[in-house]
Amino acid sequence: MTDGQLQQLVNQISSQAFHQPFRHRAYFNARLRTTGGRYQLESHNIDINPKMLTDFDEQTLIGVIKHELCHYHLHLSGSGYRHRDADFKRLLAQVGGSRYAPTPKEHVQMVARYTYRCQRCGLVYHRKRRLDTTRYTCGRCRGPIKLV
């Protein structure tokens, strides 16, 4: 699905479920990692995590779009658009949007390049960056640490 197809889908959902037009931009944003989508208060644009389409079915994507459209329409009308507001919860239940986005399947883990071990208590540290072993000591026992 391209950004143009996503824009058409958001326009269609907005007119069918909310009976109001969507007059701003909707596009995929690959930088979103832990969230399904984002409504931007200043520009009124909607970003969608592309993993909602690749990792899950189209119904999940539609649920996320409805969730973001609830923020959009309530904010523009001056009602409570935040997650904790009763207006938001009521409208989300009315249109059948998803309350929470599922966690993407491929979650990037930190790759440890350096492994250090305390010479006194044996505690192991995994780090991305090199550590100056003359400046730092073990956090548990204050013993000297050594690169393994």
Side-chain angles (χ1 to χ4, degrees), residues 61-92:
L61 176 67
I62 290 172
V64 170
I65 291 171
K66 286 181 179 180
H67 178 102
E68 300 308 324
L69 282 173
C70 285
H71 288 299
Y72 173 79
H73 289 298
L74 288 170
H75 180 249
L76 291 180
S77 69
S79 301
Y81 60 90
R82 294 188 173 106
H83 290 124
R84 65 176 180 251
D85 294 331
D87 293 334
F88 178 79
K89 291 178 183 177
R90 191 177 315 111
L91 183 61
L92 189 65

Side-chain angles (χ1 to χ4, degrees), residues 1 12 14 16-17 36 49 52 75 82 85 88 99 101 106 121 125-126 144:
M1 181 180 280
Q12 177 186 354
S14 180
Q16 288 177 355
N49 188 342
M52 293 299 115
H75 180 249
R82 294 188 173 106
D85 294 331
F88 178 79
R99 182 86 167 106
E106 208 176 290
C121 68
Y125 297 92
H126 301 288

Side-chain angles (χ1 to χ4, degrees), residues 51-140:
K51 291 189 180 219
M52 293 299 115
L53 183 62
T54 58
D55 290 358
F56 304 102
D57 59 348
E58 194 171 340
Q59 290 303 316
T60 304
L61 176 67
I62 290 172
V64 170
I65 291 171
K66 286 181 179 180
H67 178 102
E68 300 308 324
L69 282 173
C70 285
H71 288 299
Y72 173 79
H73 289 298
L74 288 170
H75 180 249
L76 291 180
S77 69
S79 301
Y81 60 90
R82 294 188 173 106
H83 290 124
R84 65 176 180 251
D85 294 331
D87 293 334
F88 178 79
K89 291 178 183 177
R90 191 177 315 111
L91 183 61
L92 189 65
Q94 185 180 9
V95 298
S98 58
R99 182 86 167 106
Y100 302 102
T103 305
K105 294 177 184 171
E106 208 176 290
H107 193 70
V108 178
Q109 294 290 329
M110 182 184 92
V111 177
R113 295 184 197 144
Y114 301 99
T115 304
Y116 297 91
R117 183 182 310 272
C118 175
Q119 294 184 342
R120 188 181 299 164
C121 68
L123 184 65
V124 177
Y125 297 92
H126 301 288
R127 295 288 180 265
K128 253 186 187 179
R129 296 183 177 184
R130 267 188 92 90
L131 214 102
D132 184 6
T133 56
T134 60
R135 286 185 63 187
Y136 295 99
T137 60
C138 175
R140 184 192 296 166

